Amino acid sequence: MPQSSPSRTVTLTDDTTGESWKLERRSGTMGPDVIDVRPLPRLSGLLTFDPGFISTGSCESKITFVDGDQGILLHRGYPIDDLAENSTFLEVAYLLLMGDLPNAEQSTAWTHNITYNTLVHEQLIKFYSGFRRDAHPMAVMCGVVGALSAFYHDSINMQDPAQRAKACYRLIAKMPTLAAMAHKYAHGQPFMYPLNSLNYAANFLQMLFAVPAEPYEVNPILARAMDKILILHADHEQNASTSTVRLASSSGANPFACIAAGIASLGGPAHGGANEAVLKMLTALEVPANIPEAIRRAKDPNDPFRLMGFGHRVYKNYDPRARIMRRICHEVLGTLNLANDPLLQVAVELEQIALSDPYFIEKKLYPNVDFYTGLTLRAMGIPPSMFTVLFAVARTAGWVAHWQEQSSESKPKIGRPRQLYTGPTARSFVPMAQRG
Ligand code: ACO
């Protein structure tokens, strides 16, 4: 695989003084070239300014590639459609982490490692009772995942590759257990232990929905749908939560603390919370007759209302995950005899109307992955407060892959952004008696 290599230079000139500085232009294997500005402060005394990282590549990565204009998403080179169709979540997690799909032997060992790490320390279970029952499950997840570092002391040394590997499969293995426990705790139901006879997604459903009082049979169609939903959410390059994990880990923080930081970031409404918002919007619309008014409001520049599940910072084309999610939604609702769900009718008509509206066409606003996710999860019996938790379970695969990539760098650098300071200049301390 070609490595990014310095090949060309770009000259930056100060138009006032005429001073100029040569900077390297570097190419990756795909995607836009970057200007390597690292020598700039040394050469010129200048910093670059880019709040929100709109035009900044924060790291070099070999994991995931997104082309927002073409609507392409590749994990280690494999298109998301291919993976969703032919792979499993555990296989995709291995791919993200190790760089290649596992062969049969590797797959068996990997699956064994995950399966035999799904239990959590019994003492950790006591943490849950410290939370209020009405706590948001993302708040609970942030706490219990952060607490893992207090339990698994043999996997917190990020300098040791063996400990790093252990931390990665522990996190992937334990996330569904912890997530299902958060769900059960909120509902006052007993926790369900993992079952090693079930695959990853089926076990997750079992821990979410089974009760000890009676046998629970996992619907294989729903288990496969859950597995695909996990695949679709597994990674998305340097988004806010992944960048948070990387920044946290750059200081040498332990892996569990880094993933807890990722969960905190994902919980924000601008990141992981949109699937819940889509469901609220569809519920409020109630019937297709209300769609034209919603479209009118979404187009009104003076109205803050937006079509939730439409638009994306990177995708200016159909989000490839949204297309797959729409298929999964129809499959799940069909399986559960909910094909006539009025909210599905609203969603389908809303999508059609928006996609043929000049406003949405011109602004390149297409459905994103969240548009059909909420409807699907709701049909599966998952409450809206758990939607983002489910996203966190899936995204743990990406987070640990990025954490591992960064922790394995030969010359690690702590993440330390600079700033454009606009506060007061130096001034003398004013004693209280002299303050106005
Ligand atoms: N409905 C109506 N108009 C919209 C929408 C929308 N959903 N999204 C963007 N626009 C308009 C904006 O008003 C803006 O119009 P203008 O050019 O007249 O100012 C233009 O399209 C560009 O939108 P921006 O907000 O500048 O684009 P940005 O990249 O900053 O925002 C975002 C992307 C936040 C996703 C936005 O499209 C949005 O709010 N969508 C709805 C929420 C949503 O579905 N979020 C989930 C994203 S996917 C994910 O996180 C997994």
Side-chain angles (χ1 to χ4, degrees):
M1 195 180 280
Q3 297 291 311
S4 57
S5 57
S7 49
R8 295 152 68 183
T9 56
V10 170
T11 303
L12 180 71
T13 306
D14 183 322
D15 291 335
T16 310
T17 64
E19 281 178 288
S20 63
W21 307 278
K22 263 193 196 345
L23 298 165
E24 277 175 14
R25 176 175 169 150
R26 300 181 60 188
S27 304
T29 48
M30 286 191 284
D33 285 1
V34 299
I35 302 168
D36 187 343
V37 295
R38 283 176 295 180
L40 195 59
R42 183 173 46 81
L43 296 176
S44 67
L46 294 171
L47 297 176
T48 58
F49 182 63
D50 184 18
F53 301 107
I54 309 281
S55 55
T56 295
S58 60
C59 62
E60 199 176 311
S61 181
K62 294 179 168 58
I63 301 173
T64 289
F65 175 77
V66 178
D67 183 330
D69 291 327
Q70 302 294 320
I72 290 170
L73 168 59
L74 308 176
H75 292 320
R76 302 282 190 182
Y78 293 100
I80 188 68
D81 321 55
D82 250 9
L83 294 171
E85 200 51 49
N86 302 310
S87 194
T88 62
F89 174 71
L90 275 194
E91 209 172 42
V92 172
Y94 183 99
L95 173 71
L96 290 168
L97 195 57
M98 310 291 192
D100 242 319
L101 289 166
N103 62 27
E105 199 181 320
Q106 290 162 335
S107 175
T108 305
W110 171 246
T111 306
H112 179 91
N113 266 345
I114 300 294
T115 308
Y116 284 84
N117 276 282
T118 48
L119 279 171
V120 294
H121 195 293
E122 283 290 305
Q123 198 74 12
L124 186 72
I125 295 170
K126 295 188 176 162
F127 267 63
Y128 285 81
S129 53
F131 289 100
R132 285 171 53 138
R133 295 265 177 195
D134 62 355
H136 196 286
M138 280 298 273
V140 175
M141 289 300 284
C142 208
V144 292
V145 172
L148 290 176
S149 54
F151 289 87
Y152 302 102
H153 296 152
D154 60 345
S155 52
I156 55 175
N157 176 5
M158 59 182 285
Q159 312 299 335
D160 176 354
Q163 291 206 25
R164 281 206 302 268
K166 209 181 264 186
C168 291
Y169 60 68
R170 272 188 176 146
L171 275 157
I172 293 171
K174 294 184 197 308
M175 279 296 277
T177 313
L178 297 171
M181 286 165 72
H183 172 65
K184 289 295 195 191
Y185 183 71
H187 289 80
Q189 289 188 1
F191 297 144
M192 294 301 294
Y193 282 98
L195 282 180
N196 288 355
S197 55
L198 297 176
N199 69 30
Y200 192 85
N203 187 39
F204 187 25
L205 290 177
Q206 179 273 136
M207 289 189 289
L208 282 170
F209 298 123
V211 288
E214 58 188 13
Y216 176 81
E217 205 162 310
V218 182
N219 180 327
I221 299 177
L222 298 188
R224 180 62 188 138
M226 173 58 79
D227 202 59
K228 284 189 186 185
I229 294 170
L230 295 175
I231 292 174
L232 294 184
H233 289 84
D235 192 39
H236 210 233
E237 54 116 304
Q238 312 306 327
N239 53 80
S241 57
T242 303
S243 298
T244 302
V245 170
R246 277 188 176 262
L247 191 57
S249 85
S250 75
S251 73
N254 78 68
F256 304 107
C258 295
I259 301 305
I263 294 171
S265 169
L266 184 73
H271 191 5
N275 44 23
E276 200 175 332
V278 174
L279 191 64
K280 278 193 189 134
M281 178 190 72
L282 295 175
T283 309
L285 283 175
E286 213 176 342
V287 287
N290 292 325
I291 294 173
E293 173 61 7
I295 299 274
R296 187 198 62 72
R297 287 190 62 195
K299 293 182 338 188
D300 180 352
N302 299 316
D303 190 329
F305 177 81
R306 285 188 165 193
L307 279 196
M308 299 313 287
F310 264 78
H312 195 277
R313 169 61 64 81
V314 182
Y315 291 118
K316 302 303 169 197
N317 202 326
Y318 214 103
D319 178 341
R321 302 167 300 172
R323 213 173 260 123
I324 306 165
M325 203 53 238
R326 183 174 51 186
R327 271 203 309 273
I328 297 172
C329 183
H330 283 286
E331 271 164 31
V332 166
L333 270 68
T335 302
L336 297 170
N337 291 324
L338 294 171
N340 294 324
D341 181 343
L343 292 197
L344 180 62
Q345 313 302 324
V346 176
V348 169
E349 280 206 36
L350 179 60
E351 182 188 5
Q352 276 166 6
I353 293 171
L355 285 178
S356 56
D357 189 293
Y359 172 93
F360 290 86
I361 295 170
E362 193 188 303
K363 294 191 186 297
K364 300 185 176 173
L365 299 170
Y366 293 86
N368 58 49
V369 67
D370 293 317
F371 191 68
Y372 283 102
T373 306
L375 268 181
T376 314
L377 296 178
R378 168 179 165 267
M380 291 169 88
I382 294 168
S385 62
M386 281 296 291
F387 291 178
T388 320
V389 174
L390 198 129
F391 193 161
V393 169
R395 188 53 59 86
T396 297
W399 288 335
V400 297
H402 285 271
W403 175 81
Q404 167 83 307
E405 184 175 66
Q406 166 149 325
S407 310
S408 321
E409 280 174 6
S410 55
K411 287 186 191 156
K413 266 244 173 268
I414 188 166
R416 185 17 174 125
R418 301 295 301 275
Q419 62 175 4
L420 176 64
Y421 177 69
T422 54
T425 53
R427 48 184 173 165
S428 301
F429 180 79
V430 182
M432 189 173 287
Q434 292 168 24
R435 292 178 210 159

